[in-house]
Amino acid sequence: MSIITFWNGTDDEVGTTTSSVAFATQMAIEHNIKVLLLSTSLNDSSIKDSFWPENKKKSFGFFADTRNKMIENNGLEGLERVIRSNRITPETIKDYTKIVLKNRLEILLGIDGEGETLQKQYMLIQETYPEIIELADRYYDMVIVDLDNKIKTSTRLEILQKSHIIVAMTSQRLKSIQKIDNLIKQNNILNEENTIITIGKYMDDTRYNAKNITRNLLKKRDIINTIPYNNLLFEATQEGKIIDLYFNFIRLREKDENYYFVKEIKRLYANIKGKIELLQMQRKI
Amino acid sequence: MTISNIILILLIVGVAALIIYFHIKSKKDAEIVTNIDVDDQTYTLQQMIEFIKRRLDEITKINLYDIGLSEEELVRRKSKKYELKKALKGCTYGDVNDKKYVKELIYDLLAKEYGVNEMNISKAIPFDIPSLLTAQDKFDILIYIYKKEFGYEALSEMIRKYQLDEFKYIQGETKPCYVITEDEINEIYEKENIELLFTDKLNIVVQRIYQQYKGYSSIDEIRDMNIDGVSGRCIWIT
């Protein structure tokens, strides 16, 4: 019943997709809720690669795959056909998702392929994202959107406006954080009520750590959220083993060096939950 | 182990291998259309209709239990298959949304599987050579362009703009009547000076295929317009 959008508000590489994947997985495993992770990308297999190892196609001999390119019936490509024909309902969306954890975590993949036609199709599909997100919100407990910066500004703004919570990802660079903070202060697209600044690929062992940034730059009391860089997470996203990784993370003790990563995502969820509750009290959602 | 035992073992292994080979081969052959042989006739309307018929048949008749899906996946695939079957049934009764869904599917099948592109689409309808276009081709193009702009008022708008609702005399008839002739369509087509993108051309081809395969033939698009109705009659020639 909540739409959480992970958006990279800067020009830096901050691991927005990986952060959304990690957050969605942790939510699905730790809480008994139905989560949908929605990718808005074109030709970006990061989400797919995080959950499923790449299938090596047999290219020779008797077992070779001789089939032509088939039309895609899953993901946004399949769903878009349903939308174009005005047949979409909240329940329809689930038929086009890929299941990661039954009744817990599902993924609506973006578009893959090549050619000019695909580019055009992507431009058309973009228009349907806000509608899909809104409908998915009626079926899933939590819709997590990995917002790609390649989609056109008007659609991006519409998605941000529809989001209950915006996780504005930034790098650890002071200027980037300042930029996001200024955007919030302008109260135009982002505002204090629904935006959470989060530092992606965060490193703690520097003078510019979360504590100092919050104290000296943002001049706030609550420490800025972070998603620390984690080697195991990086490896798991390459090998399609993120679920295995998270099942190992459940057993982590405080002394473990990876515990900090899990703790930070928990803190992010706590903040999101707090903001959602506040918005619900104000009857804004 | 005697020689006869070894021969017997080899024979059994050989037979088993052959059975497995033919089993896998039959499954492979049964699954979906393989490579499309391209020749002069490949991109004609008739061949495209045949392809669409075959593919839709395959999609709706595929045995989902053979694919080895998980329980949840199976339920979802069944639901999608049912959705398509429902649309294929509904569109024959004139449901506009079902028609749209089937047309979108035909569009994707032609563009992504059959390999229809800017180069070969003119083999279905000669868009680039207006002199080769039939009156029906021209009317289909005109109604498509008008529909893009005026939606379901397309036909009314075309009739209004070119005053096609006037009482007129036609060759071989003694009484005047309300009629839209081939010459008028040709004239309108020339006046409109239409330039089509590939997507427009494909949409027109898709409509033509749809109306011949599932729709109401030449009146299919007219039927959907905001009009009082369409009536037809058979003329029996003995």
Side-chain angles (χ1 to χ4, degrees), chain A residues 104-266:
Chain A
R104 290 280 185 99
L105 179 59
E106 289 171 19
I107 290 172
L108 192 57
L109 292 168
I111 304 164
D112 266 334
E114 296 161 355
E116 210 179 304
T117 327
L118 196 87
Q119 277 286 349
K120 280 178 194 160
Q121 197 188 0
Y122 182 59
M123 293 303 284
L124 283 175
I125 289 179
Q126 282 180 25
E127 315 263 329
T128 61
Y129 285 146
E131 194 185 345
I132 294 172
I133 292 167
E134 215 170 18
L135 283 167
D137 184 41
R138 289 194 221 155
Y139 184 79
Y140 292 92
D141 299 319
M142 188 184 276
V143 179
I144 297 169
V145 183
D146 171 30
L147 187 58
D148 198 308
N149 270 343
K150 278 182 220 133
I151 64 175
K152 62 180 178 187
T153 319
S154 57
T155 313
R156 207 162 59 222
L157 286 177
E158 202 180 334
I159 294 173
L160 288 175
Q161 271 160 5
K162 281 196 192 301
S163 306
H164 300 132
I165 298 291
I166 300 164
V167 179
M169 299 291 296
T170 166
S171 66
Q172 216 161 334
R173 286 176 61 220
L174 296 184
K175 279 188 180 169
S176 303
I177 300 167
Q178 191 73 62
K179 187 184 160 190
I180 300 276
D181 196 42
N182 287 341
L183 273 176
I184 293 174
K185 279 175 189 155
Q186 281 166 16
N187 205 11
N188 203 357
I189 317 158
L190 309 176
N191 58 58
E192 282 282 356
E193 285 172 340
N194 70 353
T195 310
I196 296 176
I197 304 179
T198 305
I199 302 174
K201 292 185 178 175
Y202 173 72
M203 290 179 299
D204 196 45
D205 49 358
T206 160
R207 201 187 313 156
Y208 300 101
N209 59 18
K211 221 179 247 177
N212 287 341
I213 287 170
T214 314
R215 214 179 282 154
N216 302 329
L217 182 76
L218 300 174
K219 305 205 186 307
K220 281 179 186 164
R221 213 178 49 186
D222 297 330
I223 293 174
I224 187 170
N225 279 95
T226 66
I227 298 202
Y229 184 82
N230 187 282
N231 281 330
L232 292 180
L233 179 78
F234 169 72
E235 284 163 16
T237 54
Q238 302 301 303
E239 294 160 5
K241 289 180 178 168
I242 202 146
I243 296 294
D244 298 342
L245 178 81
Y246 262 95
F247 280 130
N248 289 329
F249 274 178
I250 294 173
R251 291 193 291 268
L252 286 183
R253 304 268 167 193
E254 272 187 49
K255 282 176 190 169
D256 195 291
E257 57 180 290
N258 296 302
Y259 186 75
Y260 179 59
F261 173 79
V262 179
K263 202 179 86 181
E264 278 300 286
I265 293 196
K266 276 184 185 170

Side-chain angles (χ1 to χ4, degrees), chain B residues 48-63:
Chain B
M48 285 189 197
I49 292 170
E50 286 307 314
F51 168 77
I52 294 298
K53 271 184 190 171
R54 201 168 63 234
R55 272 304 275 127
L56 289 179
D57 203 44
E58 279 163 358
I59 294 170
T60 48
K61 283 184 184 161
I62 189 166
N63 190 348

